[in-house]
Amino acid sequence: MIGPREPDSDTPQPRFVRPYVITRGRSLPDERELSLITLVTAAEDQRQRPRHFSPEEQDLLRMCRGGYLSVAEIAGHSRLPMGIVKILLSGLVEGGHLVARPPVPAARLADGEILQEVLDGLRARFG
């Protein structure tokens, strides 16, 4: 029987950490809570009780200190999968370390009939 292959001592081993280790087993937040375009920034009041942050959480906090970034931008800069970023951000928002601003709702489109009436009125007035 052939046993597991021993890694070469000269070859650097890639550092691989399972996602559930990084997220501490937490699940994805609701899509309405953190969408791709939700803006996130560091909280002004950092006097929350001290907490040990993982290296990934520290990176996210450092990124968000510079101003508002979207969840998609944070995922791109951190090079972490989107799901992991959402889980970590959700925990930091719940802990009061980050502030999330929901995206601006889409504007309601104007009624076509009203626009036509305005156009007809302008044509009648200015020819």
Side-chain angles (χ1 to χ4, degrees):
M1 181 170 168
I2 300 174
R5 186 173 157 229
E6 293 295 319
D8 299 334
S9 61
D10 297 335
T11 307
Q13 297 301 312
R15 189 179 132 214
F16 181 72
V17 178
R18 298 263 183 215
Y20 62 84
V21 173
I22 295 173
T23 62
R24 297 183 190 123
R26 292 174 287 181
S27 60
L28 278 169
D30 186 19
E31 181 63 30
R32 290 170 293 190
E33 184 181 333
L34 282 175
S35 70
L36 293 176
I37 57 174
T38 299
L39 297 176
V40 182
T41 191
E44 292 290 327
D45 185 16
Q46 289 293 327
R47 289 179 282 154
Q48 305 289 331
R49 63 189 152 122
R51 178 181 153 205
H52 173 70
F53 295 111
S54 68
E56 293 82 11
E57 289 173 323
Q58 290 174 5
D59 288 342
L60 296 181
L61 284 169
R62 196 172 310 116
M63 263 186 255
C64 294
R65 284 190 188 121
Y68 280 99
L69 289 174
S70 71
V71 172
E73 289 174 310
I74 294 168
H77 291 304
S78 68
R79 297 187 177 178
L80 290 171
M82 180 62 68
I84 291 176
V85 170
K86 283 185 173 185
I87 292 169
L88 294 176
L89 289 175
S90 176
L92 292 169
V93 168
E94 287 172 7
H97 303 285
L98 294 178
V99 176
R101 190 174 87 189
V104 176
R108 195 180 65 146
L109 296 176
D111 185 23
E113 291 178 23
I114 293 176
L115 291 175
Q116 188 61 49
E117 288 178 23
V118 169
L119 183 60
D120 292 341
L122 290 172
R123 283 186 183 147
R125 171 89 174 160
F126 298 107

